[in-house]
């Protein structure tokens, strides 16, 4: 048994007492997954983005997983409580004076979906950093590393590292798989180091999630997951190098298989230089830039199809101009040329796809300048929320979906029991407006529309509306047309009654004046909804409340009112239940208790708790009925929850 498995068992073990005067449990009732449960198959193509949160509270580590659906825009959370002392920081006393964490990140690694966080805390006169790894498939938490030096990580290649040792600058690289030190000093180079043309590598990588380790003398090799040494890599740095003979500073390198690029700078005075950019293909030279400017930045796309040149004049505090020129490396023709959205120093480019990128610029107050996502083929800029973009950068390369051009904060649109379902790009929020997919939205709410040159008209039953100059309202990208909600939707009886937001999605609840008619959105039908019913304790038994007979229902099958049945048959109750010592399980008609689980081995429950695995024979057709006990004469709830399918990263 692995150390990770032992930690999980110690962390979650509770004493199961399966006893009842009218019911006897045989020794074959074990806390193990049966073959029937293990063999359930999954086939899913859901578009799901994963996020994660961690918290160290007293004597537990709480992990919250978040799933965002790009098919509906909905968000689901699951919370797990790990109480094994082995996962707590070594010097942790539960009395930390300051604490925070750095960059929680979820990564779709070759070893499966993993969530990571570096936790920092001070305790009296000590401070420490702890790196945690949460494994989604096994629902296990592992303390990977802890020490006095800040920890950095590259989860896609399975490496973490520190840059100081006893207050002396010294890089040490460790395998995420073994925890062992694998390299000392040197650097790890990633995709952006090459697309920003700081370095050039040969052979050209065939994937975007790659890493190259180089010694200080540029003796380099590709990295396989966990830091394993891969094939040899030839790397050269591309800093502008002065030539005493010509008086020029140059950098020259192979951009793609058949294109060579030469950038030269000379005659520098008054903060400007003579810059020349020349490309050579099949022996033929083509001059792309020959002008006197402050600086020229060069960038190449991940698949070496596109070259981006940014020319600048001025200083950080007073940027005079910044112009972007985009070239096709196959034809060497200029595709686009535009003024940068902001007059600020260009630092880097974040490539999303070969057709989309974000230019990152220097700002002393970056939150005031929304990053601009540029779509090359459509020549369009989309303004992004800065805070959301910074968070999204941590995991963008693990969750890319076709037909998605706005990769952050999908918006769920709900009406009564219905939810809008997307095949392409979901509704998104940009510059104060919610852009809905025209075709999907109008079809869901039974709206007829006619798009003319000067006006788009809408009809819904006896209601109608129109929007003048639709070209100024509509946004079309990749054959998908979007329109912001506004007066036209209100005229059709659809008003936003509630808006909920998180870092990962937004949700709009629509009040529909046509509710109950054929014009309303169809209800989302699920085979099972989690529900809760009131029960009274009478003596040693429980019975359904004869007065409060209407059940509370959830929109989903596995959770209601803070009680969640997890995919691995553990239960999580998120509210404070310090006084509870056990949970009871009933048969399908709630007439008898068939088993119970003790909670006395869980040290703290003030923030909620997770149980060990519920024995499978407590579920009937995958449904668990659980009671939170109360004193005689009191009322409580019985929760009926459906066991989710085994974990699948592509299943919402």
């Amino acid at each position: 048994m692995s150390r990770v498995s032992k930690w999980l068992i110690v962390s979650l073990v509770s004493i199961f007492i399966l006893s009842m005067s009218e019911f006897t449990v045989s020794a074959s009732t074990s806390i193990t997954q049966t073959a029937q449960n293990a063999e359930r198959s999954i086939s899913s193509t859901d578009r799901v983005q994963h996020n994660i949160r961690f918290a160290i509270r007293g004597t537990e580590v709480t992990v919250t997983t978040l799933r965002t659906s790009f098919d509906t825009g909905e968000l689901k959370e699951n919370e797990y409580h790990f109480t094994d002392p082995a996962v707590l920081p070594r010097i942790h006393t539960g009395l930390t004076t300051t604490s925070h964490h750095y960059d929680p990140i979820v990564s779709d690694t070759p070893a499966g979906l993993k969530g990571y966080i570096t936790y920092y805390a001070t305790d009296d006169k000590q401070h420490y950093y702890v790196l945690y790894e949460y494994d989604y498939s096994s629902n296990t938490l592992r303390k990977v590393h802890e020490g006095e030096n800040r920890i950095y990580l590259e989860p896609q290649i399975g490496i973490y590292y520190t840059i100081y040792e006893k207050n002396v600058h010294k890089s040490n690289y460790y395998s995420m798989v073994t925890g062992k030190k694998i390299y000392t000093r040197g650097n790890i180079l990633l995709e952006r180091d090459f697309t920003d043309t700081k370095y050039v590598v040969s052979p050209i990588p065939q994937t975007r999630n790659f890493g190259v380790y180089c010694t200080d003398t540029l003796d380099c090799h590709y990295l396989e997951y966990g830091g394993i040494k891969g094939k040899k890599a030839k790397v050269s740095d591309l800093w502008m190098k002065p030539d005493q003979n010509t008086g020029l500073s140059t950098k020259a390198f192979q951009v793609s298989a058949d294109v060579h690029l030469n950038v030269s700078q000379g005659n520098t005075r008054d903060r400007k230089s003579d810059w020349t950019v020349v490309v050579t293909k099949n022996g033929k030279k083509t001059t792309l830039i020959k002008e006197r400017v402050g600086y020229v930045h060069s960038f190449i796309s991940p698949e070496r199809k596109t070259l981006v040149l940014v020319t600048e004049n001025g200083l950080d505090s007073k940027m005079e101009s910044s112009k972007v020129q985009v070239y096709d490396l196959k034809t060497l023709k200029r595709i686009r040329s535009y003024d940068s959205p902001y007059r600020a120093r260009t630092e880097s480019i974040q490539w999303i796809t070969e057709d989309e990128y974000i230019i990152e610029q220097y700002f002393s107050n970056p939150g005031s300048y929304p990053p601009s996502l540029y779509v090359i083929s459509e020549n369009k800029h989309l303004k992004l929320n800065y805070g959301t973009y910074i968070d999204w950068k941590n995991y963008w390369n693990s969750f890319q979906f076709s037909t998605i051009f706005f990769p952050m904060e999908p918006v769920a649109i709900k009406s009564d029991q219905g939810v809008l379902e997307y095949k392409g790009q979901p509704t998104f929020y940009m510059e104060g407006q919610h852009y809905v997919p025209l075709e999907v939205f109008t079809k869901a709410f039974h709206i007829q529309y006619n798009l003319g040159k000067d006006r788009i008209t809408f009809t819904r039953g006896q209601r109608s509306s129109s929007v003048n100059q639709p070209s100024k309202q509509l946004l079309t990208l990749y054959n998908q047309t979007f329109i912001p909600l506004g007066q036209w939707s209100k005229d059709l009886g659809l008003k936003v009654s509630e808006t909920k937001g998180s870092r990962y999605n937004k949700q709009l609840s629509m009040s529909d004046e046509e509710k109950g008619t054929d014009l309303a959105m169809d209800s989302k039908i699920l085979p099972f909804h989690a529900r809760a019913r009131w029960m009274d304790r009478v003596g040693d038994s429980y019975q359904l409340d004869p007065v409060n007979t209407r059940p509370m229902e959830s929109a989903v099958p596995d959770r209601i009112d803070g009680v969640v049945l997890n995919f691995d048959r553990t239960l999580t109750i998120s509210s404070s239940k310090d006084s509870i010592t056990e949970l009871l399980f009933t048969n399908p008609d709630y007439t008898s208790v068939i088993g119970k689980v003790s909670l006395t081995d869980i040290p703290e429950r003030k923030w909620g708790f997770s149980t060990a695995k519920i024995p499978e024979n407590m579920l009937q057709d995958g449904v668990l009925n659980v009671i939170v006990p109360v004193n005689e004469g009191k009322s409580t709830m019985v929760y009926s929850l459906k066991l989710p399918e085994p974990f699948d990263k592509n299943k919402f």
Side-chain angles (χ1 to χ4, degrees):
M1 182 182 294
S2 69
R3 183 172 60 174
V4 176
S5 299
K6 291 178 181 177
W7 281 354
L8 176 64
I9 292 175
V10 174
S11 173
L12 296 182
V13 161
S14 295
I15 299 173
F16 280 84
I17 306 171
L18 300 175
S19 60
M20 184 65 190
S21 58
E22 300 177 357
F23 184 83
T24 303
V25 180
S26 68
S28 63
T29 305
S30 62
I31 315 175
T32 58
Q33 190 176 38
T34 66
Q36 179 184 1
N37 192 38
E39 291 172 0
R40 283 188 295 173
S41 62
I42 297 176
S43 60
S44 171
T45 56
D46 296 354
R47 298 177 297 172
V48 185
Q49 179 178 281
H50 297 266
N51 293 275
I52 198 162
R53 293 197 302 257
F54 292 77
I56 295 181
R57 300 163 167 168
T59 58
E60 72 169 35
V61 180
T62 303
V63 175
T64 304
T65 61
L66 305 101
R67 289 168 289 164
T68 306
S69 169
F70 275 75
D71 294 324
T72 63
E74 296 172 289
L75 176 73
K76 285 183 181 179
E77 293 188 19
N78 278 72
E79 190 174 276
Y80 306 100
H81 301 259
F82 296 93
T83 57
D84 182 355
V87 300
L88 291 171
R90 184 176 62 250
I91 65 172
H92 180 72
T93 65
L95 300 173
T96 50
T97 53
T98 62
S99 62
H100 59 277
H101 60 260
Y102 297 103
D103 302 335
I105 177 173
V106 176
S107 186
D108 191 7
T109 75
L113 195 66
K114 311 280 188 178
Y116 296 98
I117 196 169
T118 300
Y119 178 83
Y120 168 74
T122 60
D123 202 330
D124 296 329
K125 296 181 180 180
Q126 302 181 83
H127 69 274
Y128 54 90
Y129 297 85
V130 184
L131 173 61
Y132 285 107
E133 176 190 80
Y134 173 76
D135 184 277
Y136 276 75
S137 294
S138 61
N139 188 18
T140 56
L141 182 67
R142 179 167 71 107
K143 184 171 62 173
V144 180
H145 182 87
E146 62 183 329
E148 296 182 355
N149 298 308
R150 181 173 175 180
I151 304 166
Y152 304 83
L153 66 154
E154 300 296 343
Q156 286 290 326
I157 55 177
I159 285 178
Y160 65 94
Y161 61 97
T162 60
I163 59 176
Y164 283 94
E165 184 178 294
K166 296 181 179 179
N167 297 321
V168 176
H169 190 276
K170 180 182 178 182
S171 298
N172 289 307
Y173 299 92
Y174 302 83
S175 169
M176 199 81 77
V177 178
T178 65
K180 295 181 179 180
K181 186 188 297 185
I182 50 177
Y183 304 109
T184 299
R185 297 188 172 88
N187 290 289
I188 290 179
L189 306 177
L190 304 173
E191 178 189 80
R192 192 182 289 205
D193 294 301
F194 302 104
T195 58
D196 282 358
T197 67
K198 295 177 181 178
Y199 297 88
V200 62
V201 63
S202 177
I204 294 174
Q206 301 302 307
T207 177
R208 297 193 63 177
N209 295 324
F210 69 91
V212 177
Y213 172 76
C214 292
T215 66
D216 293 337
T217 58
L218 289 184
D219 180 16
C220 308
H221 58 262
Y222 279 96
L223 293 168
E224 297 181 8
Y225 185 75
I228 298 173
K229 187 175 181 178
K231 63 184 178 182
K232 188 76 173 177
K234 183 180 179 181
V235 175
S236 302
D237 69 70
L238 295 177
W239 308 116
M240 299 293 289
K241 298 177 176 63
D243 187 321
Q244 299 298 328
N245 296 324
T246 63
L248 299 176
S249 294
T250 64
K251 69 176 181 181
F253 60 101
Q254 198 76 18
V255 179
S256 61
D258 57 353
V259 177
H260 188 271
L261 183 73
N262 185 288
V263 181
S264 65
Q265 172 193 21
N267 191 23
T268 302
R269 65 178 187 276
D270 299 327
R271 302 195 305 274
K272 293 186 180 182
S273 306
D274 294 331
W275 286 83
T276 304
V277 179
V278 177
V279 291
T280 303
K281 183 172 184 177
N282 299 327
K284 181 181 178 181
K285 293 186 177 181
T286 303
T287 300
L288 303 182
I289 289 179
K290 189 177 181 62
E291 58 182 313
R292 187 168 181 79
V293 292
Y295 202 86
V296 175
H297 302 271
S298 58
F299 308 92
I300 53 176
S301 65
E303 296 179 18
R304 307 322 196 246
K305 294 179 180 178
T306 306
L307 170 68
V308 178
L309 300 174
V310 182
T311 59
E312 294 179 345
N313 275 323
L315 302 175
D316 291 345
S317 58
K318 191 177 182 181
M319 182 61 66
E320 298 167 5
S321 65
S322 182
K323 189 173 184 178
V324 182
Q325 300 180 63
V326 183
Y327 293 87
D328 185 327
L329 283 173
K330 184 177 181 180
T331 64
L332 300 185
K333 292 183 179 180
R334 187 167 65 185
I335 308 170
R336 304 290 182 199
S337 179
Y338 63 89
D339 292 330
S340 176
Y342 304 112
R343 293 182 178 181
R345 186 184 74 217
T346 297
E347 293 193 320
S348 181
I349 281 186
Q350 171 72 70
W351 290 90
I352 301 173
T353 66
E354 285 290 302
D355 195 42
E356 299 175 65
Y357 63 76
I358 297 164
I359 294 181
E360 295 185 347
Q361 297 173 286
Y362 172 79
F363 300 105
S364 58
N365 182 23
S368 299
Y369 302 90
S372 177
L373 188 156
Y374 182 64
V375 184
I376 299 173
S377 61
E378 306 282 352
N379 191 26
K380 290 181 179 177
H381 293 270
L382 306 176
K383 293 295 181 68
L384 309 177
N385 177 276
Y386 173 78
T388 308
Y389 169 66
I390 294 303
D391 180 65
W392 169 83
K393 279 176 58 177
N394 288 330
Y395 53 84
W396 70 272
N397 52 4
S398 284
F399 309 106
Q400 293 250 13
F401 312 114
S402 61
T403 70
I404 299 294
F405 60 80
F406 199 94
M408 289 167 278
E409 288 185 307
V411 180
I413 294 183
K414 295 188 174 184
S415 178
D416 198 20
Q417 297 299 313
V419 60
L420 201 61
E421 295 187 359
Y422 308 110
K423 297 298 183 184
Q425 168 68 43
T427 298
F428 59 94
Y429 181 75
M430 183 175 68
E431 297 187 278
Q433 293 183 300
H434 293 97
Y435 284 80
V436 299
L438 179 62
E439 196 68 33
V440 173
F441 187 87
T442 53
K443 183 178 180 180
F445 288 101
H446 305 91
I447 300 168
Q448 307 298 318
Y449 72 90
N450 181 47
L451 178 58
K453 181 179 180 181
D454 301 317
R455 176 182 296 184
I456 180 172
T457 58
F458 301 94
T459 303
R460 189 184 187 218
Q462 301 300 311
R463 303 171 187 268
S464 63
S465 188
S466 63
V467 174
N468 295 325
Q469 297 180 305
S471 60
K472 294 183 178 180
Q473 294 282 329
L474 300 180
L475 174 65
T476 300
L477 283 169
Y478 303 123
N479 299 316
Q480 300 176 78
T481 299
F482 293 78
I483 185 172
L485 294 175
Q487 188 58 49
W488 68 272
S489 51
K490 295 178 182 177
D491 292 342
L492 300 178
L494 297 167
K495 299 178 182 178
V496 177
S497 59
E498 184 181 29
T499 302
K500 295 180 180 179
S502 72
R503 294 174 61 186
Y504 314 107
N505 82 322
K506 295 188 70 177
Q507 178 177 306
L508 304 183
S509 296
M510 306 294 293
S511 173
D512 188 358
E513 294 176 7
E514 297 290 346
K515 178 181 177 181
T517 73
D518 292 340
L519 300 177
M521 180 190 286
D522 294 336
S523 297
K524 183 178 181 180
I525 301 174
L526 292 175
F528 182 88
H529 292 263
R531 58 186 180 272
R533 301 187 65 174
W534 284 104
M535 299 196 81
D536 295 329
R537 178 167 179 177
V538 181
D540 293 330
S541 63
Y542 291 83
Q543 62 183 29
L544 290 174
D545 190 316
V547 178
N548 298 316
T549 58
R550 186 176 181 179
M552 178 193 310
E553 283 204 350
S554 169
V556 292
D558 60 345
R559 66 197 62 207
I560 187 171
D561 196 29
V563 180
V564 181
L565 181 58
N566 302 310
F567 71 91
D568 62 348
R569 291 206 320 275
T570 61
L571 266 173
T572 295
I573 297 182
S574 300
S575 57
S576 174
K577 301 290 184 183
D578 277 337
S579 60
I580 300 175
T581 59
E582 63 182 3
L583 298 174
L584 308 178
F585 308 117
T586 78
N587 61 354
D589 59 6
Y590 319 120
T591 56
S592 64
V593 173
I594 60 175
K596 60 181 74 172
V597 54
S598 172
L599 306 177
T600 55
D601 278 3
I602 301 177
E604 246 182 307
R605 298 192 295 280
K606 60 192 298 186
W607 299 281
F609 58 91
S610 297
T611 71
K613 288 185 179 181
I614 306 301
E616 193 172 16
N617 65 351
M618 295 296 99
L619 287 74
Q620 295 85 35
D621 296 325
V623 176
L624 180 71
N625 301 297
V626 57
I627 296 175
V628 178
V630 292
N631 294 328
E632 184 175 359
K634 300 288 186 179
S635 295
T636 186
M637 304 289 284
V638 57
Y639 302 95
S640 299
L641 312 164
K642 181 83 171 180
L643 181 69
E645 296 286 343
F647 175 78
D648 181 346
K649 66 184 179 183
N650 299 314
K651 179 83 171 176
F652 180 66

